Amino acid sequence: MGMPRFVRAKNNDESSSNIYVANCGPAVGISHDDIASVFSDFGEVNGVYAADDSGTRVIVSYSHHSSAQSAFLALNGHTCPQLGGRSLHIRYSVQNPIPKDKVSDLVPVSITASDLAISGIYLVHDFISAEEEEELLQAVDCRPWNCLSKRRVQHYGYEFCYDTRNVNTRHCLGELPSFVSPILERISSCPTFKNVENTVLDQVTVNEYPSGVGLSPHIDTHSAFEDLIFSLSLSGPCIMEFRRYESGDQLPRIASSSVAKTEGPEDDSNFIRRAIHLPPRSLLLMSGEARYAWHHYIPHHKIDKVNDKVIRRASRRVSFTFRKVRTDACKCAFPQYCDSQR
């Protein structure tokens, strides 16, 4: 999350209409609606907000400070039967306005590719069934994993070298495993995707992400892979974010922005930022502008906020990335991002 909306009130100021409530939230099976229902007994509730990324602490905002006082006196330090018998720890909180010279780390999350409005992005929900998902997970779990610093990977067809961000095309690992064949056949015949019939995908990377582990912003190396990059999400959901830097492939020093175009105050780099929700069993295609000109990444969160809904990440998320290894120089229309043309 970005800068918090609320901070602790000085000297536990009782004139505040907002209270911070610990030990309840989506991470322990208590929805914001359930919390609002309990706290509305003390007065009109304007809203219930996540206090941080833990999923176990919330802010309850009342219309009047007397309601906050009543809730504090009645519930602080006591168990609440309506909230699973959990003992609540409460203090007063005040709203923390975002300074005008700061930008928020929050970005609206799209559910569909059309809402995301990035050319070349396609998303198919429920591309595979739950049974097929389980079969794929069992297949990779029967094979050896390579351990990176925070996640595990498997490579098929060609190994992706993280130190060079490229592949050695002279060292083929063999044919792709048979368990991905149905996926490749379905991709080639899916009406959502254009110009895929004659594309022979020959490289697969399987990533396993524990809860809270994401992926740093990057563009898949132009000289390594061709235009179409498919990502199949298994086991757990995540948010994938996209950044378009006008300065090209070099990441600017500023790591946060608003949704609209924003100027980074340190180096005057301009970028646009957008996000999309990837549910389990969905297939994402990045092609054209989305593949060549937008950095994509997965924030390192345990809790994702999808518009007004808080979603806790699963204990693991596994992705299958399907690509075609490039055998000639990239001649894309985005030379400022292209290692072949710079």
Side-chain angles (χ1 to χ4, degrees):
M1 292 183 135
M3 186 177 296
R5 288 189 59 188
F6 299 88
V7 295
R8 187 168 187 166
K10 293 182 179 180
N11 301 318
N12 213 24
D13 185 1
E14 297 182 3
S15 66
S16 174
S17 60
N18 309 301
I19 52 176
Y20 167 99
V21 184
N23 202 28
C24 66
V28 290
I30 301 173
S31 71
H32 285 188
D33 288 342
D34 292 337
I35 296 168
S37 177
V38 169
F39 281 83
S40 63
D41 289 345
F42 304 95
E44 182 180 358
V45 174
N46 290 333
V48 177
Y49 311 98
D52 51 34
D53 286 340
S54 69
T56 62
R57 294 181 282 268
V58 300
I59 299 293
V60 178
S61 179
Y62 283 103
S63 296
H64 196 269
H65 66 86
S66 62
S67 301
Q69 291 177 15
S70 298
F72 178 90
L73 293 173
L75 298 177
N76 182 40
H78 300 292
T79 57
C80 181
Q82 302 98 314
L83 297 179
R86 304 187 72 83
S87 179
L88 304 182
H89 307 283
I90 303 175
R91 65 175 185 246
Y92 291 101
S93 182
V94 295
Q95 191 163 1
N96 183 30
I98 298 176
K100 294 181 179 180
D101 61 342
K102 300 292 184 181
V103 292
S104 175
D105 193 38
L106 298 177
V107 56
V109 177
S110 299
I111 303 299
T112 66
S114 58
D115 291 338
L116 188 68
I118 297 178
S119 177
I121 287 283
Y122 301 86
L123 180 66
V124 179
H125 290 246
D126 295 312
F127 187 77
I128 61 172
S129 67
E131 293 75 17
E132 290 171 317
E133 176 186 39
E134 185 58 32
E135 290 172 359
L136 288 171
L137 291 171
Q138 290 178 4
V140 295
D141 283 337
C142 289
R143 297 184 175 227
W145 291 91
N146 297 321
C147 295
L148 303 181
S149 60
K150 293 185 179 180
R151 67 184 196 274
R152 301 193 299 175
V153 300
Q154 295 180 18
H155 299 291
Y156 298 100
Y158 295 88
E159 181 177 4
F160 183 75
C161 302
Y162 293 96
D163 54 346
T164 63
R165 301 204 60 79
N166 216 314
V167 294
N168 182 357
T169 57
R170 293 174 292 182
H171 180 52
C172 180
L173 301 177
E175 298 293 326
L176 298 184
S178 59
F179 58 79
V180 302
S181 297
I183 306 302
L184 297 175
E185 293 172 5
R186 195 170 304 170
I187 288 174
S188 64
S189 61
C190 182
T192 302
F193 308 133
K194 300 177 181 179
N195 303 320
V196 301
E197 299 86 354
N198 299 321
T199 300
V200 179
L201 301 170
D202 56 8
Q203 197 275 336
V204 178
T205 294
V206 183
N207 279 284
E208 181 193 57
Y209 301 91
S211 178
V213 174
L215 193 63
S216 299
H218 69 284
I219 295 175
D220 284 34
T221 309
H222 289 204
S223 62
F225 303 108
E226 293 191 3
D227 181 50
L228 307 179
I229 297 177
F230 296 88
S231 179
L232 179 66
S233 295
L234 306 178
S235 187
C238 77
I239 300 298
M240 180 170 283
E241 298 194 13
F242 296 86
R243 292 178 181 175
R244 175 72 186 267
Y245 296 97
E246 291 187 356
S247 58
D249 187 53
Q250 181 66 37
L251 282 172
R253 289 172 288 172
I254 303 304
S256 62
S257 74
S258 63
V259 180
K261 181 185 292 186
T262 308
E263 290 192 0
E266 291 189 14
D267 58 7
D268 296 323
S269 294
N270 294 338
F271 59 95
I272 302 169
R273 186 175 175 212
R274 293 175 186 160
I276 193 168
H277 179 237
L278 302 181
R281 300 182 293 280
S282 65
L283 183 71
L284 176 77
L285 167 61
M286 294 181 289
S287 63
E289 178 187 331
R291 179 266 183 271
Y292 289 122
W294 287 76
H295 287 75
H296 63 278
Y297 65 109
I298 300 172
H300 297 266
H301 292 168
K302 290 187 177 181
I303 299 289
D304 288 315
K305 188 172 183 181
V306 181
N307 301 324
D308 293 328
K309 187 176 182 181
V310 176
I311 298 177
R312 185 172 181 83
R313 291 195 188 171
S315 58
R316 76 186 298 212
R317 173 180 174 269
V318 176
S319 69
F320 281 57
T321 302
F322 300 88
R323 297 175 282 209
K324 169 66 176 173
V325 171
R326 186 181 292 281
T327 56
D328 55 2
C330 179
K331 300 177 181 178
C332 69
F334 306 93
Q336 68 271 39
Y337 304 92
C338 184
D339 63 309
S340 291
Q341 301 182 58
R342 287 190 305 186

